[in-house]
Amino acid sequence: METSYETIIIGGGVVGSSIAYHLSERNKGGILVLDKKFPLSGTSGSTQAWVWVHNKTPSWYAEFSMYSAELYPYLSKKIGDVEYKRTGGLSPFFNEADREKALLLAKTYESIGIKIKVLTREEALEKEPSLNPEVAGATYSSIDGNVNPFRLVDRYMRAAKKNGVQYSTYNKVTEIQKLPGKFMVVSQKGTFQCKNLVLAGGTWSRELGKMVDITIPINQLRGQILVTEPLKPFLNYTISGLRQAFNGEVLIGYSMEKEGFNRATTLEVMQETANLAVHYVPSLRKAKVVRAFSGIRAMPEDGFPILGRIPGVENLFVAATHSGVTLSPLIGTLMTELILDGDTSIPIDRYSITRFNNMETK
Amino acid sequence: MDKSTIICRCEEISLEEIEKVISNGARTFDDIKRLTRCGMGPCQSKICNCLVAAAINEKTGTPFHEIPLPRMRMPISPIKLDTLATNSTTFSSVKSVLDEVELEDGKVR
Ligand SMILES: Cc1cc2nc3c(=O)[nH]c(=O)nc-3n(C[C@H](O)[C@H](O)[C@H](O)COP(=O)(O)OP(=O)(O)OC[C@H]3O[C@@H](n4cnc5c(N)ncnc54)[C@H](O)[C@@H]3O)c2cc1C
Ligand code: FES
């Protein structure tokens, strides 16, 4: 294995692998991805994987998410079938009072080109007949959908490898040294040298930041998901809270708990999640849960992506975000532009790590 | 075992498919599961678990005691959502997406 690369990416999850793939489209060879375990062992392997746009706030973040969702159809043509399905997204509400908020959302987002319909009870039930008849209404947008996260990361990796990217897995990075014009990346399996270094360590970003004396303010937020046995296709849309996968399984959950890196599943949240399921879609009562899992979100302190250069350290980049499945095609595209061209086609200044005032080097 | 031997009956995954992902770097049952769906079926790997460990051992030489076991999670056997549900409609850690839409001065932020 070579020891010198143009670019090294630490972290082979959906974010790191997307960057590797997009970079490799323009820059054959000279790219190494290091992962302490195997890609998908982090957050990217325990996610709902909605490609979700329509009720992200504020509007500039929704707009950013929309550009990424728009890239999905082309991406799946390029890297192969990732079971991406633009089902349209439905967020039901059960209180008439929420309609006002929904209408405000629709009005604001019209100006940025995200079409949101606020459905009446009848319209919502017509679209998704399995919804609880007590629903008051729903917001709906055709831009939303979902993807198979396992296939997505696998296809990013395969396409990247085909373009010459090397992966070194079960290889933890333990130390980073900055020397003039290059980095020395010390890992369990040896020391590698590179010009550009990208930190894409997901929930472990703080740890990676420490190696270069910066604070990457990423916290952990647990989510628990229930998976049903495969059911006949019956859900037409991605519903915020549950979706039906290609093989018929329904994935249910939208829970948030501050539990650090603890990936346990708990009965209490499983029960709440079951309540959500039967509240939204009563016919799910009869469905059997075959599996429960939990994942740890990499949640930036203010909730928004941390993307771009790390100021003060030449050729050092960071990409750490929640909603990395939705955002991965765009993040891969823009980070590639930044690394190779020094600038991005869509501004990412807003996502710079400099917005946190505690990031100063030590 | 023959290459076409079905290792995971629930998901119909053959030895060949499992060997392929091992040669791509997968080392644990969970790595293999995420890439092939082996172990994600109704029996939740009760049947295929040992066969996969044998394949890992065969391909990589990793001794059995060093191959991590798949993570066992609830439910041990399939359970109806109806049984799991408590029918409460107050939620503490489970959220609704629209609740997260933030308003500021009567406008969406
Ligand atoms: C329950 C749940 C539901 C979600 N639902 C959605 C959704 O519907 N839509 C959506 O878009 N997003 C969703 N997300 C978020 C999304 O899954 C994540 O944003 C995304 O997977 C993050 O990808 P990543 O590559 O940054 O992280 P990871 O997949 O965790 O990758 C980081 C990698 O870095 C490696 N690494 C870390 N430290 C080191 C080191 N020192 N040396 C070498 N390697 C290292 C790790 O091994 C890991 O593989 C959800 C998350 C959860 C938990
Ligand atoms: S045999 Fe593999 S999950 Fe049942």
Side-chain angles (χ1 to χ4, degrees), chain B residues 8-10 39-41 43-45 47-48:
Chain B
C8 179
R9 279 196 244 162
C10 299
M40 287 195 184
C43 88
Q44 289 298 293
S45 79
I47 302 174
C48 51

Side-chain angles (χ1 to χ4, degrees), chain A residues 11 13-15 35-36 42-44 47-50 173 295 321 323-326:
Chain A
V14 74
V15 171
D35 201 291
K36 65 175 173 178
T43 313
S44 307
T47 171
Q48 267 276 26
W50 311 334
V173 172
T321 188
S323 295
V325 175
T326 302

Side-chain angles (χ1 to χ4, degrees), chain B residues 6-13 29 37-49 51-52:
Chain B
I6 296 294
I7 298 285
C8 179
R9 279 196 244 162
C10 299
E11 295 288 330
E12 284 189 46
I13 313 291
F29 186 93
R37 291 197 53 83
C38 169
M40 287 195 184
C43 88
Q44 289 298 293
S45 79
K46 286 193 200 72
I47 302 174
C48 51
N49 180 358
L51 292 170
V52 171

Side-chain angles (χ1 to χ4, degrees), chain A residues 126-296:
Chain A
E126 195 182 323
K127 270 197 177 320
E128 196 66 278
S130 313
L131 275 182
N132 185 344
E134 283 170 23
V135 73
T139 57
Y140 169 77
S141 176
S142 61
I143 180 83
D144 303 314
N146 63 70
V147 66
N148 178 333
F150 306 115
R151 275 189 173 242
L152 178 64
V153 174
D154 188 36
R155 291 294 185 276
Y156 272 139
M157 269 171 69
R158 287 199 216 182
K161 284 182 183 171
K162 216 167 132 193
N163 290 345
V165 173
Q166 302 225 21
Y167 273 77
S168 176
T169 53
Y170 286 98
N171 191 6
K172 184 175 177 171
V173 172
T174 53
E175 194 188 330
I176 300 168
Q177 297 160 5
K178 173 74 181 131
L179 301 176
K182 65 181 178 193
F183 293 94
M184 303 300 287
V185 179
V186 182
S187 74
Q188 287 169 327
K189 295 185 185 169
T191 299
F192 302 95
Q193 171 185 325
C194 63
K195 175 172 157 240
N196 306 312
L197 182 63
V198 184
L199 308 180
T203 42
W204 296 278
S205 294
R206 274 185 197 268
E207 207 177 292
L208 291 181
K210 276 204 191 107
M211 297 181 197
V212 281
D213 295 325
I214 55 151
T215 304
I216 306 176
I218 290 279
N219 301 320
Q220 292 80 33
L221 193 62
R222 182 167 75 188
Q224 301 191 35
I225 310 285
L226 299 179
V227 186
T228 70
E229 62 195 328
L231 304 170
K232 236 181 12 200
F234 76 108
L235 290 178
N236 302 325
Y237 299 95
T238 305
I239 303 175
S240 55
L242 46 107
R243 70 171 178 105
Q244 189 166 27
F246 261 54
N247 66 353
E249 291 177 342
V250 179
L251 277 76
I252 310 154
Y254 197 61
S255 66
M256 316 206 170
E257 303 162 278
K258 288 186 179 146
E259 287 290 335
F261 284 98
N262 177 359
R263 271 173 80 163
T265 37
T266 61
L267 184 60
E268 204 175 282
V269 175
M270 286 173 73
Q271 286 177 322
E272 262 198 35
T273 303
N275 290 342
L276 168 101
V278 301
H279 182 48
Y280 277 26
V281 179
S283 60
L284 277 173
R285 279 188 181 282
K286 282 176 285 172
K288 284 189 183 137
V289 174
V290 295
R291 187 164 79 246
F293 65 83
S294 94
I296 311 295

